[in-house]
Amino acid sequence: MSSTAPRAGAREWAGLAVLALPVLLLALDNSVLFLAAPHLGADLRPSATQLLWIMDVYGFMVAGFMITMGTLGDRIGRRRLLLTGAAAFAGASVLAAYAASPEMMIVARMLLGVTGATLGPSALALIGMMFADPRQRAMAFGIFTACFMGGAALGPVVGGVLLESFWWGSVFLLGVPVMAILLVAGPLVLPEYRDTAAGRVDLASVGLSLAAIMPVIYGLKEIADEPARAVPYAAVVVGLAFGLWFVRRQRSLETPLLDLALFKGRGFAAALAILLLTGIVQSGLYLFVSQYLQLVEGMAPLKAGLWLVPPTLALGVGSVLAPVVARRFRSSHVMGAGLGLAGAGLLAMAAADGLGLLMTGVVIGFFGTAPVSVFVFDLIVGAAPVEKAGSASAIAQTSGEFGIALGVATLGSLGTAVYGSRIDVPGQVPAGARETAADSLSGAVEAAADLPAAVAADLLRAAHAAFSDALAAVSVTSAALVLALAAVSLVALRSVALAGEDAGKKARGDAGETAEGDAGEKSGEDVPQPAAEAHPEKLAIPDA
């Protein structure tokens, strides 16, 4: 094998631009839905339970099907799965836009989740294929992550414009032209790969993975909303039981849905844990800062969304800068330094006595966590054997989904507990309203609406003070966590080569090439492929 990996050219960078389109759309689509929810609710008139399903079922489907789709892409072709998923996503977007009932909208959101699960793992695995040079690959992952953050930042702006000019269904139709571009340009600039020796997908494992992941995600979300209910905890226990069954089955299969040997890779488990825990911090803080802006500062949802643009952009900028800095310093040091900086920003949030300092801390905190996803994706996709890259990508993204759910559940529960212990409800508030106000800040705002002006002002003042204490507690806890992660990254990943370090050991351009299909012939341009370390005979060069 050559010590120098081939560098990507114009075609590969064009392919990255095409891959960035759907991920930008997914982030944008998710954020604009929150703005569209009131309009959608007024038109379709869903019940409270139906509205929750409309909002949440997409995330459940994405998390549940991510591992299945990652492995399926490895077996039937990553580009094929990506394009098939894009076409189906566009169709589901049209169905959602013209939904005539809550039930129809729930089905459309389910389909969007299943098809959305095909896009991320396929895109990450294709980036790993196209960018064999470690430095270029790290930069590609940085740009890819930045596009996701850009979509989240643009969501409130684009959503606000669409909702002011058109009906609520227009936010879903954004997906149609984007997926059309992907369908036209994808076959021209994206390579294809499939593992011709992988065997069939084990359907029992698919069912077990869904039975493991979806109850856990559901339970964690519900625990954050109603921590006293027993059902969410039971759902988590059931999911974990199915998870153990899933693991046992994978160990017994010759071609498992999820190859557990991936977790034995150097730094793999540590990187996943860092990604998951960083996701907890990011999602938990996003939740509390969003509530603070709307319920304490009194901002409308659109204005609050605009205030959240700078932290999101900071994540995107940090994702692009991290690989550049890693050309001069070890990636583990860049990650550790970034997490240390994030800890300082979160401590500034805890000490903030005004909106300006608070948001400055949020921006610094999010900027500091940016290197994590870039370097973890690079490690996981770059180190995985070529025939397992889709599965490895899916594991990384599923870890991120769990991080989001855990962040809302754990930090949300912490903040709720601190709020409940700190609020001093004025004595003039009636008994029923006292209980509502003590549950949450939103409950206090709701209770205040029915009280005399003076009593309402006293109640809101007490609720705001309690929520500020809760936000400070969440910020300090998050700071402690990211500072601990900084130390873990410096220790656990110090011997792992990332982002161009020890590039000779990670060069991937000279592996044996075989054709896709039975004919054994290449078609189209050669695209640099990762070396199939364990099974070089399984490599298939794309027909681009």
Side-chain angles (χ1 to χ4, degrees):
M1 182 182 295
S2 170
S3 61
T4 302
R7 292 179 61 81
R11 184 182 179 211
E12 285 72 36
W13 290 107
L16 176 64
V18 170
L19 290 174
L21 283 174
V23 75
L24 187 150
L25 170 73
L26 291 179
L28 189 150
D29 191 57
N30 219 23
S31 58
V32 299
L33 181 62
F34 290 97
L35 291 176
H39 305 268
L40 183 154
D43 191 9
L44 299 183
R45 299 188 179 279
S47 67
T49 301
Q50 287 174 327
L51 184 58
L52 285 175
W53 274 105
I54 289 171
M55 301 300 291
D56 291 339
V57 73
Y58 173 85
F60 293 157
M61 293 295 107
V62 169
F65 279 92
M66 193 81 75
I67 289 176
T68 298
M69 294 305 180
T71 303
L72 185 63
D74 289 339
R75 300 188 181 191
I76 71 169
R78 292 163 190 162
R79 188 180 69 187
R80 179 182 301 170
L81 181 65
L82 178 74
L83 298 180
T84 302
F89 190 93
S93 297
V94 174
L95 181 65
Y98 293 99
S101 66
E103 294 80 7
M104 187 175 176
M105 175 58 75
I106 292 171
V107 171
R109 291 283 290 166
M110 290 178 65
L111 293 175
L112 284 170
V114 174
T115 56
T118 67
L119 304 177
S122 298
L124 287 177
L126 286 170
I127 290 172
M129 290 171 59
M130 295 188 299
F131 296 90
D133 178 78
R135 288 188 176 184
Q136 287 188 319
R137 186 176 61 249
M139 178 57 72
F141 282 131
I143 294 171
F144 185 80
T145 303
C147 288
F148 182 85
M149 297 305 152
L154 286 172
V157 179
V158 174
V161 171
L162 289 175
L163 291 172
E164 286 184 5
S165 305
F166 306 100
W167 93 114
W168 57 263
S170 62
V171 302
F172 293 103
L173 293 181
L174 283 172
V176 177
V178 171
M179 294 307 172
I181 294 172
L182 176 59
L183 289 170
V184 172
L188 302 176
V189 296
L190 297 178
E192 180 60 290
Y193 171 86
R194 65 185 178 93
D195 180 5
T196 56
R200 294 182 177 180
V201 173
D202 180 53
L203 295 181
S205 293
V206 173
L208 287 173
S209 70
L210 294 174
I213 293 172
M214 294 178 69
V216 172
I217 295 290
Y218 166 80
L220 292 174
K221 285 179 175 287
E222 290 298 306
I223 287 170
D225 290 334
E226 299 183 69
R229 289 180 62 214
V231 173
Y233 296 94
V236 172
V237 171
V238 169
L240 292 176
F242 276 109
L244 290 175
W245 189 0
F246 174 80
V247 170
R248 289 175 62 88
R249 182 167 182 83
Q250 302 318 291
R251 288 175 174 167
S252 68
L253 295 175
E254 183 178 351
T255 56
L257 181 71
L258 177 63
D259 188 356
L260 300 180
L262 289 170
F263 291 90
K264 298 178 182 178
R266 186 174 60 174
F268 192 99
L272 279 180
I274 292 171
L275 180 65
L276 183 146
L277 294 171
T278 302
I280 289 176
V281 170
Q282 290 174 338
S283 63
L285 287 175
Y286 198 91
L287 169 69
F288 272 89
V289 173
S290 299
Q291 291 181 325
Y292 181 89
L293 293 174
Q294 295 182 67
L295 299 178
V296 176
E297 294 295 332
M299 296 181 186
L302 178 57
K303 185 177 180 181
L306 293 175
W307 271 87
L308 289 169
V309 168
T312 308
L313 290 180
L315 261 175
V317 172
S319 299
V320 175
L321 288 180
V324 177
V325 178
R327 294 174 185 175
R328 295 182 60 86
F329 305 97
R330 290 190 63 84
S331 299
S332 58
H333 293 173
V334 177
M335 190 186 301
L339 290 168
L341 178 64
L346 301 182
L347 291 175
M349 284 181 60
D353 57 359
L355 182 59
L357 182 57
L358 174 71
M359 295 308 298
T360 299
V362 178
V363 169
I364 294 172
F366 275 49
F367 179 81
T369 59
V372 171
S373 58
V374 177
F375 293 144
V376 169
F377 287 156
D378 180 54
L379 185 154
I380 290 174
V381 177
V386 65
E387 69 273 12
K388 302 295 183 183
S391 181
S393 301
I395 293 171
Q397 294 196 311
T398 302
S399 176
E401 292 292 331
F402 274 110
I404 293 171
L406 279 169
V408 173
T410 57
L411 295 182
S413 297
L414 170 64
T416 299
V418 172
Y419 172 86
S421 67
R422 295 297 180 89
I423 187 170
D424 183 14
V425 181
Q428 305 94 315
V429 177
R434 290 177 67 87
E435 183 177 347
T436 301
D439 281 342
S440 65
L441 177 57
S442 60
V445 172
E446 179 183 347
D450 299 325
L451 297 175
V455 178
D458 290 341
L459 173 59
L460 290 177
R461 191 177 301 112
H464 291 169
F467 190 82
S468 296
D469 290 343
L471 178 57
V474 169
S475 300
V476 170
T477 303
S478 299
L481 181 56
V482 296
L483 291 173
L485 291 178
V488 170
S489 66
L490 291 172
V491 174
L493 302 181
R494 68 183 184 276
S495 61
V496 179
L498 293 172
E501 300 167 15
D502 198 15
K505 293 183 179 180
K506 299 177 73 180
R508 308 194 291 176
D510 298 315
E513 299 174 348
T514 63
E516 181 188 12
D518 298 328
E521 296 178 354
K522 284 191 301 180
S523 63
E525 296 181 39
D526 290 356
V527 176
Q529 299 288 312
E533 297 169 5
H535 306 285
E537 73 279 1
K538 293 183 180 180
L539 268 177
I541 287 295
D543 58 324

